[in-house]
Amino acid sequence: WGALALAGAQVFFVLATRQTTAANAIFLQYTAPVYVAFFGIWFLYEKVTRADWATMAVVFLGLGLFLGDNLSVQAGWGMVNALLAGVSFAWYILLLRKQKDASPMEAALLGNLITALIGLPFAFTVHPTGLEWAGLLFLGIFQLGIPFLLMAIAIKQLTAVETVLIQTLEPILNPIWVFLVVGEAPSAWALVGGALVIGAVTVRALVAAQATRAERVVAT
């Protein structure tokens, strides 16, 4: 089920980017922390703290500022698929965390394999160049493959909410790579929004680490 949720998250996100703006797809996919928080209470029995809710609020505000004018109220299947991508990604995190004491790595591997099989027929409708194949190979390994394996390792130590909140750094870091490689500078509002998300997630991580250290001290 974890593998199917991962495949759904990727397929629905690709469909959403074809049917609505990329900003809409990103913003709606990263509503996942809310679903993780609500479903995790009864599915994982993990408590959602006030710090978690506060972090989510700041993250959504930051994402809104970051994406700015690219957000729209465009309706249709693009918005629906983006929401389904968020729900699917949330359940992937929940199911990964559910098997933290077993081996969550298999869900990541199988999920990407299912996604590849779904996308394979469409590969025969185009004729990528050698450079484009190299780009696909690079993205498959370093942008999706390795990160999902690292997430499967990290989920053993983090709560589901902590894991998905850290994932919201992904769209924020995107313009940094664009600036370093292409030289395209982000807008002032994008910088403010990005700073809010990075700050909120960092503070939440530091608070969680401090609480963990305190619990270990008490236990010893």
Side-chain angles (χ1 to χ4, degrees):
W1 287 110
L4 290 174
L6 174 57
Q10 296 186 95
V11 170
F12 285 130
F13 182 75
V14 170
L15 291 174
T17 58
R18 292 175 61 87
Q19 298 166 336
T20 186
T21 65
N24 281 352
I26 292 170
F27 187 82
L28 291 174
Q29 185 191 40
Y30 282 98
T31 56
V34 177
Y35 313 134
V36 170
F38 279 114
F39 295 139
I41 293 172
W42 63 267
F43 187 69
L44 299 174
Y45 305 105
E46 290 185 347
K47 181 181 179 181
V48 183
T49 66
R50 292 180 180 178
D52 291 328
W53 290 115
T55 303
M56 283 184 222
V58 177
V59 164
F60 286 134
L61 174 60
L63 282 173
L65 292 174
F66 174 77
L67 297 171
D69 295 337
N70 293 319
L71 289 172
S72 73
V73 293
Q74 179 182 351
W77 284 109
M79 305 289 273
V80 172
N81 283 321
L83 284 170
L84 289 174
V87 173
S88 298
F89 187 63
W91 274 107
Y92 171 66
I93 296 292
L94 291 166
L95 290 161
L96 213 62
R97 177 65 177 168
K98 187 74 171 179
Q99 53 180 325
K100 66 182 186 300
D101 297 325
S103 181
M105 194 75 71
E106 283 80 354
L109 293 170
L110 184 58
N112 280 291
L113 178 60
I114 293 173
T115 306
L117 292 175
I118 293 173
L120 187 61
F122 300 95
F124 297 108
T125 63
V126 294
H127 303 284
T129 64
L131 183 61
E132 290 170 337
W133 276 116
L136 288 171
L137 184 63
F138 178 84
L139 291 173
I141 295 173
F142 294 100
Q143 199 270 332
L144 285 177
I146 293 176
F148 276 124
L149 296 180
L150 292 174
M151 186 192 300
I153 296 172
I155 199 75
K156 291 176 173 289
Q157 304 296 327
L158 302 175
T159 67
V161 171
E162 288 171 339
T163 303
V164 75
L165 282 174
I166 292 173
Q167 288 295 305
T168 59
L169 292 174
E170 180 188 359
I172 300 302
L173 294 175
N174 176 269
I176 295 177
W177 309 129
V178 173
F179 174 73
L180 292 175
V181 177
V182 182
E184 179 182 321
S187 67
W189 282 116
L191 290 174
V192 172
L196 282 174
V197 174
I198 293 173
V201 173
T202 302
V203 170
R204 178 68 187 87
L206 291 173
V207 169
Q210 182 63 33
T212 300
R213 282 195 294 268
E215 289 175 1
R216 288 174 179 172
V217 170
V218 171
T220 55

